[in-house]
Amino acid sequence: MLEPLIQNNVVCHALEAMIFASIACSILGVIISRMNLSSIGFTMSHAAFAGAAIGMFLERNAQVAAVVFSMAVAALIGPVSDKAKMAADATLGVLFAMSMAVAIFLISYMEYMGKGLSASALLFGDVISLYREEIYALAAVCCLTIVFVLAFYKEVSAIMFNMKIAEAAGVRVKLVYYMLLFIVALSVALSLNIVGGLLIFVLLVTPASIANQFCFNLKSMFIAAPLVALSVSAIGVWAGFEFTLPIVPLVALLLTGVFALSVMLSFKRRISKKRY
Amino acid sequence: MSVIDLLGIYTAYEGGDKPVIKDLSLSVDRGEYVVIGGPNSAGKTTLLESINGLVKITHGSATVCGLDVARFADTVRTRVGYVIQNFYFDPFTPFTVEQVVMMGRFGRLGLMNRPARADYDAVQRAIALVGIEDLAHKSIGTLSGGQQQKAMIAHNIAKEPEVMMLDEPFSNLDFHAREYLQGVLKELVRTGIPILMVAHAFDGLPDIRIRLVVMNGGKITYDRDCTAGEVDGIIRKECKVNGKC
């Protein structure tokens, strides 16, 4: 998509992937951070990790298996929380442990059987060796995220405000919440190859936290978070290639730096010194 | 036909060894002002949440606005206003009072439909009725507890409900605000909307016919009409008779 502007294919693909992953994850990040569901990032990333391990174990496409397993875990979060009367965060913890156990079990077993499995790409990501199809899939999930937020903006804003009040108002809370979980699962599973399971958290939480320091309303947060993520990712990709640095950790560090700066400069925290 | 018709309902929470509400029957007609009192854990909040389907009814039947609550809980909730008991909005909540009041109409708007002119007008009317015009554009998280409570009452009035239920709605309000909002509720009753209000403090009740329902141990122990001045005394007496106060 950016080929006419960037001659180098590797740089071009890395930039495109980071842009799509940044936009999708940061928009979803605004929702999940407000709902105190930030741990969904590592649960989903480890579910995708376990799915990839299952795919490799069954000698099937690891990416497809990662998406399928993440969706299965996403489908469990809501009903398990409801049935067990647990906070979604506790359910996420249980599913995170289960996913990690499945992944470690299969990786160890495959090593024992003499079938090596390199987990480093899934854990740390590899933004410079991507297939076109992976970028198209990310672009699609990025569009899906934007369409979801635009189409269900009022329902999403109501459940972000207060789930019980939204439910009492007659909003179809469960339906929208389950759809949200599915989209998060899809985004995380598809971003896993790029940013890795360990750093996906940065794209989900940090841009939303930066936007929260300055934005007074939800609409501006939905605009500011992806803009911040996109700008920092683009700078990270450029600096990574220019100075031969690992791109994703660089983006993570840059975003954390911007967050620290935003906390210091946030006018939302300013205390009025007026005496009248 | 009554707006609310509960017939022998039982409600239990998962893990609880006893039902919270036991064999309770209650009919509420249009224009009734029902005050629900009783000791803690009498089942007052559970009763309200059984009426709008937030809590599952295990036995018996509940019909609200002509709809079976067990089958049409989502639709019932779009037609029943419910001011919940406890809420806290942190200072970083990214919603203004006006936006929160508009959320009251989201259920009746249906999935994916955008608010129209009529919805914005209903929101403005609700804000004006509750007297919080000056707070409309302020972030709800920056308001005091009492102001947030007023905003939540406006949120439910904007819904244009057929029944209004309030769970200790005046706990954070000063006497003047209580009197003012009781006047607002009196106006709703005058238009035919039945009010069901759970309360522990009864000062400032409006000077209209009040139906007092006293609950104890998940059952109704008293259900008669009275005047505003009699409410407190009757509840004290009923609690004493039933050994709880």
Side-chain angles (χ1 to χ4, degrees):
Chain A
M1 283 157 256
L2 294 173
E3 281 93 347
L5 298 170
I6 302 164
Q7 304 303 315
N8 186 325
N9 258 355
V10 177
V11 180
C12 183
H13 288 182
L15 185 62
E16 285 171 354
M18 285 302 286
I19 286 173
F20 293 131
S22 301
I23 294 173
C25 291
S26 58
I27 290 174
L28 294 169
V30 171
I31 306 172
I32 63 174
S33 346
R34 184 75 221 155
M35 292 173 71
N36 291 327
L37 280 176
S38 304
S39 44
I40 199 170
F42 62 74
T43 303
M44 283 306 168
S45 61
H46 288 83
F49 182 47
I54 293 170
M56 287 175 181
F57 179 73
L58 298 173
E59 293 174 353
R60 296 279 187 270
N61 187 320
Q63 181 89 44
V64 174
V67 171
V68 171
F69 196 74
S70 305
M71 303 294 264
V73 169
L76 283 175
I77 296 170
V80 170
S81 306
D82 289 344
K83 194 78 197 153
K85 294 280 171 228
M86 293 197 308
D89 228 28
T91 313
L92 289 170
V94 172
L95 294 172
F96 159 71
M98 181 272 290
S99 302
M100 204 58 197
V102 168
I104 294 171
F105 180 86
L106 288 176
I107 290 169
S108 308
Y109 187 69
M110 278 192 278
E111 273 175 6
Y112 173 72
M113 297 292 283
K115 294 185 204 172
L117 167 60
S118 167
S120 67
L122 293 171
L123 283 176
F124 307 118
D126 189 4
V127 75
I128 55 173
S129 54
L130 296 168
Y131 294 109
R132 279 239 64 91
E133 293 75 22
E134 289 176 294
I135 297 169
Y136 288 143
L138 261 178
V141 86
C142 183
C143 292
L144 180 69
T145 305
I146 295 169
V147 168
F148 169 73
V149 171
L150 289 176
F152 295 99
Y153 184 77
K154 73 177 200 306
E155 287 81 11
V156 167
S157 61
I159 64 173
M160 284 172 75
F161 173 60
N162 184 304
M163 261 188 150
K164 184 166 182 184
I165 291 172
E167 200 177 5
V171 173
R172 304 277 297 275
V173 168
K174 276 191 185 161
L175 179 72
V176 177
Y177 181 53
Y178 290 179
M179 279 198 287
L180 171 71
L181 293 176
F182 271 109
I183 294 174
V184 172
L186 202 58
S187 301
V188 171
L190 292 173
S191 305
L192 201 67
N193 269 3
I194 301 152
V195 291
L198 298 178
L199 288 175
I200 191 87
F201 215 55
V202 169
L203 286 186
L204 278 172
V205 176
T206 317
S209 306
I210 295 167
N212 198 27
Q213 300 304 314
F214 298 102
C215 299
F216 284 96
N217 64 63
L218 192 60
K219 270 187 190 148
S220 56
M221 282 179 78
F222 274 127
I223 295 168
L227 275 179
V228 169
L230 191 143
S231 315
V232 174
S233 295
I235 293 169
V237 171
W238 168 80
F241 281 108
E242 190 69 23
F243 305 109
T244 330
L245 296 167
I247 292 167
V248 177
L250 183 64
V251 170
L253 288 173
L254 284 173
L255 274 171
T256 313
V258 175
F259 172 70
L261 207 63
S262 68
V263 170
M264 284 189 275
L265 299 176
S266 171
F267 43 77
K268 275 172 102 174
R269 295 174 188 283
R270 204 167 289 163
I271 295 168
S272 171
K273 296 216 168 78
K274 281 183 189 168
R275 284 169 184 254
Y276 52 89
Chain B
M1 192 183 167
S2 305
V3 183
I4 297 172
D5 239 322
L6 309 179
L7 196 65
I9 64 159
Y10 285 76
T11 305
Y13 288 107
E14 278 180 32
D17 55 344
K18 287 179 188 165
V20 180
I21 287 179
K22 299 160 201 162
D23 194 19
L24 185 146
S25 298
L26 178 73
S27 288
V28 179
D29 291 321
R30 278 177 60 81
E32 278 198 282
Y33 192 108
V34 183
V35 171
I36 304 168
N40 292 331
S41 74
K44 304 183 294 291
T45 300
T46 309
L47 171 63
L48 296 188
E49 297 194 352
S50 305
I51 290 170
N52 70 0
L54 284 175
V55 172
K56 225 176 181 177
I57 292 166
T58 52
H59 300 284
S61 75
T63 311
V64 176
C65 307
L67 295 164
D68 178 6
V69 177
R71 287 177 62 202
F72 304 105
D74 276 337
T75 315
V76 167
R77 286 196 283 271
T78 65
R79 295 162 71 170
V80 176
Y82 177 42
V83 180
I84 65 170
Q85 187 179 7
N86 294 315
F87 47 79
Y88 165 74
F89 309 125
D90 67 85
F92 276 30
T93 307
F95 300 103
T96 62
V97 168
E98 196 175 37
Q99 288 168 332
V100 170
V101 175
M102 176 59 89
M103 283 176 197
R105 295 186 68 83
F106 284 179
R108 58 183 290 157
L109 273 169
L111 276 177
M112 294 168 77
N113 295 324
R114 302 273 154 161
R117 190 68 260 156
D119 300 298
Y120 288 102
D121 291 344
V123 167
Q124 292 313 321
R125 279 198 302 275
I127 287 173
L129 194 64
V130 177
I132 50 171
E133 295 98 322
D134 53 329
L135 306 175
H137 300 293
K138 288 196 173 161
S139 170
I140 192 155
T142 60
L143 306 182
S144 69
Q147 289 170 324
Q148 288 182 355
Q149 217 149 14
K150 285 182 186 174
M152 290 318 299
I153 292 170
H155 163 99
N156 281 284
I157 290 174
K159 191 194 255 189
E160 294 177 332
E162 289 168 50
V163 179
M164 184 67 138
M165 306 195 299
L166 307 98
D167 196 354
E168 295 190 39
F170 306 134
S171 51
N172 287 324
L173 299 178
D174 59 49
F175 183 76
H176 293 294
R178 272 188 228 183
E179 266 198 339
Y180 179 77
L181 287 172
Q182 286 285 12
V184 172
L185 297 182
K186 188 177 163 183
E187 189 54 30
L188 292 182
V189 168
R190 201 187 56 78
T191 60
I193 299 167
I195 305 279
L196 279 86
M197 187 176 73
V198 167
H200 284 293
F202 306 99
D203 49 335
L205 284 174
D207 52 344
I208 54 170
R209 185 181 70 97
I210 288 169
R211 178 176 169 190
L212 177 62
V213 170
V214 182
M215 287 186 72
N216 212 332
K219 290 183 172 186
I220 292 174
T221 56
Y222 182 96
D223 183 0
R224 270 175 228 162
D225 288 351
C226 64
T227 61
E230 293 169 332
V231 171
D232 201 37
I234 294 171
I235 288 187
R236 279 174 198 277
K237 197 174 144 199
E238 275 300 306
C239 286
K240 237 176 220 170
V241 168
N242 289 289
K244 280 187 180 179
C245 227

